[in-house]
Amino acid sequence: MAQISLSRRLRRTPFSEGVEAAGVRAYTVYNHMLLPTVFRSVEEDYRHLKEAVQVWDVACERQVELRGPDAGRLMQMLTPRDLRGMLPGQCYYVPIVDATGGMLNDPVAVKLAEDRWWISIADSDLLYWVGGVAQGWRLDVLIDEPDVSPLAVQGPRADELMARVFGESVRDIRFFRFAPLEFEGRPLVVARSGYSKQGGFEIYVEGADIAMPLWHALMEAGRDLDVHAGGPNLIERIESGLLSYGNDMTDDNTPHECGLGRFCNTQSAVGCIGRDALLRVAKEGPVQQIRAIAIDGPPVPVCDRFWPLLAGGTEVGRISSAAWSPDFDTNVAIGMVRMTHWDAGTELEVKTPEGPRRALVQPAFWN
Amino acid sequence: MAQISLSRRLRRTPFSEGVEAAGVRAYTVYNHMLLPTVFRSVEEDYRHLKEAVQVWDVACERQVELRGPDAGRLMQMLTPRDLRGMLPGQCYYVPIVDATGGMLNDPVAVKLAEDRWWISIADSDLLYWVGGVAQGWRLDVLIDEPDVSPLAVQGPRADELMARVFGESVRDIRFFRFAPLEFEGRPLVVARSGYSKQGGFEIYVEGADIAMPLWHALMEAGRDLDVHAGGPNLIERIESGLLSYGNDMTDDNTPHECGLGRFCNTQSAVGCIGRDALLRVAKEGPVQQIRAIAIDGPPVPVCDRFWPLLAGGTEVGRISSAAWSPDFDTNVAIGMVRMTHWDAGTELEVKTPEGPRRALVQPAFWN
C-alpha cells in the first residue's frame, strides 16, 4: 500500500496530536483535511466500535455557516427538503442538488436560529456552491467556514462516557436533536448523531483551543469503558447502509437514485434549485437505485473503483463500496442497480479485479 | 509515515495502471483524485527531473468546461484578469476570487473558442463556484467536468521526447500557447506549460481510452532519454517559486498578497466578481506578501502545518512550504511575511516542530 504525502494543503485538525499519539496507521483525505481511518486494523476497529466506545476525529466534517436575514431563504433554495417545520435545535439530513437534480453534497443542516445555520458537509466544497448562488442572487447573508471541528463519540457505551464528561442531561438528547452543553465553562453544541449505527453523539467543537482538552477528558473518563480512538469504519458503514458521497453517489446521481426520495418534498419546497428536474424524476421514478449487495466467496480486495455488475454478460449496475463482514460472514457491498435487476434475490455477477464473483441483491442493509 | 486508505472517492486516473507499474511510493489527494508524489525518493525524482525527462499523471488538474453564448461573459466575471485581448489558442493564468477578493483557485484558462473554455483547476471544487454563479445570474452556459486528463511531460529532454511522439511541430509551440496535435489519429490539445521550471508540455488527454496507449508510447519512445514516471516535485517547485493553492494561499488571501497583482487588471476587467474589494487592495497595497525564505541548518522536517515566523518574539509571518535543496545547499521555503519584515535580507526566526531556526528573506526564488 502507498503512503500519504503530508503537506499543509491536507489540513491537520485540532485533534491531530491525539490521533497521532493513539497510533493512527492510515488516513484518507476529506474536505482537504486528514481523516484517520485505521488505528489497529479495520477489523479490530470494527469489533471494538460495536462493543465499546470510540472517539473520532471528524473535524473534516466542515461547517458552512449561513448568517443573516436571507439565511433561511438561501437554505431552502439549496435543498428539495421542506424546511418550513424545522425548529432551532433540530438537525435535518438535506440532499443538496444542482439545477438538473444532481447531488452536490448530502450534509446535515443544523438550525441554530432563524437567521443562523450550519451545514455539516460531506466531501465536496459546498461553500463554493452556496457562495456562488448567494452572489448570483445578491442575498443578504454571510457565508463562512467557522472554526468548528466535530468530534464524534460512537459505540454502545457512548451515553455513559458522554454523561461522565457533559453530565446526565446528555442522555435526554433525542436522535438528530442537539443541545448546548458545557465543557470547562464553554458551551458546545452536542447532537445525537454520527456516521455509524452503534449510537452516539457529535460534539461541534467551537474553538481549536478546547479541542485537545476535550479529547483528553474523554479518554481519561472512559478508561474503564475501554475507550479508544477510532474513525468511520468501512465494514460497519456498509452493513448499516450509510452512503458516502463520492463513493456511492456523485453529481451524476439524483437523490431518488440514492434512495433519498423521502427527503425530497419537491412539491412543497418552493424556490429550491433543481425543483423542475426533481418533479420530473419524482413522477417517473428513478431507472437505477442504490441496493445492498452480498458478494460470495472469500474477502474481496479494496474497492477503489467501480466494479461492474453483470446479468447475462450485460452491465446492469456497479458496486461502489465493499468489504468483508465478520459478523454477517459475507462480503457486504453497496451498488447502483438498474430497475430491471434491482429486486431482492436477483442474482448477478460482479467483476472484481480478482475475477468474477456471484452477487445477490438484498432486501435491506444488514444493520 | 501513515498509509493512504484507498476508496472510489479518491478517484483513480486513466494513467493509474502506468503509475502503479512504475512503482509509485506515495500519493497526495488533489481534486478528489490520486496525485502520485514519489517514485524513487523526493531527492532522486528531483535530480532526474532536472537532468532528463519525466511523464507526470496530473489528471487531477481537472477541467471545468464552459460552453455556450454566455461562456465568455461568465469567464470574465470569474477573474480580475482582463481577458478581452485573449485569443483562441492561448492559455492565461487567472486568479479566481470571491466578492471580498479572497482567492478561490488559481487555474489556467484555456480558450478553445469564443464560446468554449476549459479552466484547468488547482485543488478546490471550482465547478461549484462557477455553477452557483451561473445559476444565480441565469446565464446561458453549460458547465461540466469533461473526460479530460492532463498528462505532463517535463524536463530538459521534453522537447525531444514530444517531437518523437507528436512530430517536430511540437517544438514550435510557444510558452502558454497550445496546438491541436494528433496521436493515433486523435486530435489532442498540447500546451507548452507545466508545474515545473524545467520546461515541457501538458497534453490534455480527451477520452480515457487513449490514456494508456499514450503513456506507453512516451515511455517507449523515451527509453534512451532515460524517461521515468514522476510528479510535481516539492523541492523543485519551491526553488522555482511555484505556489500551491491550499499550501501557500487560500481564500484568506488576495492575489496581491500572493504576488499575483500583475494578473489583476481590476480597472479594466469590468464585471468581475470581487472588483470593489480588489480596487481597494490595489490602491493600498497588501500588508503581507509571499516571499522566498531560506532556512538555516540541516534538512527541515515535512512542513505539514504553518510554521510561525518571528522577529524579536513577535509573529510577523508564517512558512507554508519548505524542503531541503541539494542544489542550493540550504532549506528553501515559501512564506507569507508582513510588510514590516518582507525586505530581502531581513533576518527572522522560524519555529519548526524541531525547534527554532534562523530564516532569511530572499530577493527572489532560486530558479
Side-chain angles (χ1 to χ4, degrees), chain B residues 2-278:
Chain B
Q3 294 191 312
I4 187 166
S5 283
L6 298 178
S7 68
R8 206 296 267 178
R9 188 171 53 74
L10 310 188
R11 298 178 285 178
R12 289 168 62 82
T13 89
F15 311 108
S16 290
E17 203 187 307
V19 163
E20 287 162 357
V24 62
R25 297 220 173 141
Y27 290 106
T28 185
V29 176
Y30 199 96
N31 284 326
H32 313 278
M33 195 169 252
L34 295 174
L35 169 58
T37 50
V38 185
F39 285 87
R40 289 179 278 201
S41 72
V42 177
E43 290 72 20
E44 282 174 278
D45 293 350
Y46 159 85
R47 175 62 48 221
H48 178 265
L49 167 63
K50 287 186 157 190
E51 289 172 358
V53 58
Q54 295 183 348
V55 177
W56 294 1
D57 172 3
V58 285
C60 66
E61 288 171 11
R62 305 310 295 163
Q63 311 307 305
V64 175
E65 179 167 308
L66 315 185
R67 236 176 335 139
D70 286 336
R73 181 185 164 202
L74 175 55
M75 195 63 232
Q76 185 63 83
M77 287 175 71
L78 295 174
T79 180
R81 184 159 181 186
D82 188 340
L83 304 177
R84 282 176 300 175
M86 188 174 176
L87 303 169
Q90 279 189 301
C91 310
Y92 270 23
Y93 180 68
V94 289
I96 308 267
V97 301
D98 64 18
T100 70
M103 288 193 66
L104 297 176
N105 204 288
D106 70 322
V108 172
V110 179
K111 184 171 181 176
L112 299 162
E114 289 301 333
D115 61 353
R116 187 163 174 241
W117 300 68
W118 283 341
I119 313 178
S120 192
I121 62 173
D123 182 33
S124 72
D125 296 336
L126 194 66
L127 186 73
Y128 280 34
W129 173 252
V130 178
V133 168
Q135 202 283 330
W137 288 92
R138 275 138 293 174
L139 300 182
D140 191 3
V141 59
L142 276 171
I143 297 152
D144 226 339
E145 181 181 300
D147 179 16
V148 172
S149 298
L151 187 69
V153 178
Q154 301 282 300
R157 298 177 193 157
D159 274 65
E160 177 57 28
L161 175 55
M162 286 292 284
R164 293 182 187 180
V165 173
F166 285 94
E168 288 297 317
S169 65
V170 80
R171 298 186 196 269
D172 301 330
I173 300 176
R174 287 155 57 200
F175 184 65
F176 258 53
R177 295 273 181 156
F178 66 84
L181 297 182
E182 277 209 0
F183 174 74
E184 295 191 353
R186 190 87 75 84
L188 297 177
V189 167
V190 177
R192 192 179 285 276
S193 57
Y195 196 63
S196 86
K197 285 216 173 155
Q198 306 310 312
F201 300 87
E202 286 176 306
I203 310 158
Y204 290 78
V205 180
E206 207 169 349
D209 60 304
I210 204 81
M212 282 312 300
L214 176 59
W215 176 281
H216 289 310
L218 287 163
M219 289 298 179
E220 196 60 38
R223 240 182 239 198
D224 62 311
L225 302 174
D226 188 28
V227 66
H228 204 276
N233 184 275
L234 180 68
I235 309 169
E236 199 275 343
R237 84 146 178 101
I238 299 176
E239 288 178 353
S240 301
L242 296 171
L243 305 185
S244 164
Y245 187 77
N247 279 314
D248 308 311
M249 56 198 169
T250 69
D251 59 0
D252 274 344
N253 305 114
T254 64
H256 300 74
E257 289 181 349
C258 307
L260 306 175
R262 66 187 183 283
F263 300 110
C264 298
N265 318 105
T266 319
Q267 292 284 352
S268 61
V270 177
C272 84
I273 296 168
R275 192 167 181 238
D276 294 343
L278 290 185

Side-chain angles (χ1 to χ4, degrees), chain A residues 169-330:
Chain A
S169 65
V170 79
R171 298 187 196 267
D172 301 330
I173 300 175
R174 287 155 56 200
F175 184 65
F176 258 52
R177 295 273 180 157
F178 67 83
L181 297 182
E182 278 209 359
F183 174 74
E184 294 190 354
R186 190 86 77 82
L188 297 176
V189 166
V190 177
R192 192 179 285 276
S193 57
Y195 197 62
S196 86
K197 285 217 172 153
Q198 306 309 312
F201 300 87
E202 286 176 306
I203 310 159
Y204 290 77
V205 180
E206 209 170 348
D209 60 305
I210 203 81
M212 282 311 299
L214 176 59
W215 175 282
H216 289 309
L218 287 163
M219 289 299 178
E220 195 60 38
R223 240 181 240 198
D224 62 310
L225 300 174
D226 189 27
V227 66
H228 203 277
N233 184 276
L234 180 68
I235 310 169
E236 199 276 343
R237 83 147 179 100
I238 299 176
E239 289 178 352
S240 300
L242 295 171
L243 306 185
S244 164
Y245 186 76
N247 279 315
D248 308 312
M249 56 197 169
T250 69
D251 59 359
D252 274 344
N253 305 114
T254 63
H256 300 75
E257 289 180 350
C258 307
L260 306 175
R262 66 187 183 283
F263 300 110
C264 299
N265 318 106
T266 319
Q267 292 284 351
S268 61
V270 177
C272 83
I273 296 168
R275 191 167 183 237
D276 294 343
L278 290 185
L279 283 169
R280 170 59 48 193
V281 168
K283 188 172 168 175
E284 296 177 353
V287 298
Q288 57 177 2
Q289 203 167 49
I290 292 271
R291 285 289 181 273
I293 315 257
I295 301 175
D296 279 4
V300 288
V302 172
C303 183
D304 61 356
R305 66 202 86 174
F306 280 137
W307 294 345
L309 282 166
L310 308 176
T314 304
E315 187 166 329
V316 296
R318 38 200 196 176
I319 296 289
S320 50
S321 298
W324 173 259
S325 162
D327 281 359
F328 295 97
D329 198 32
T330 184

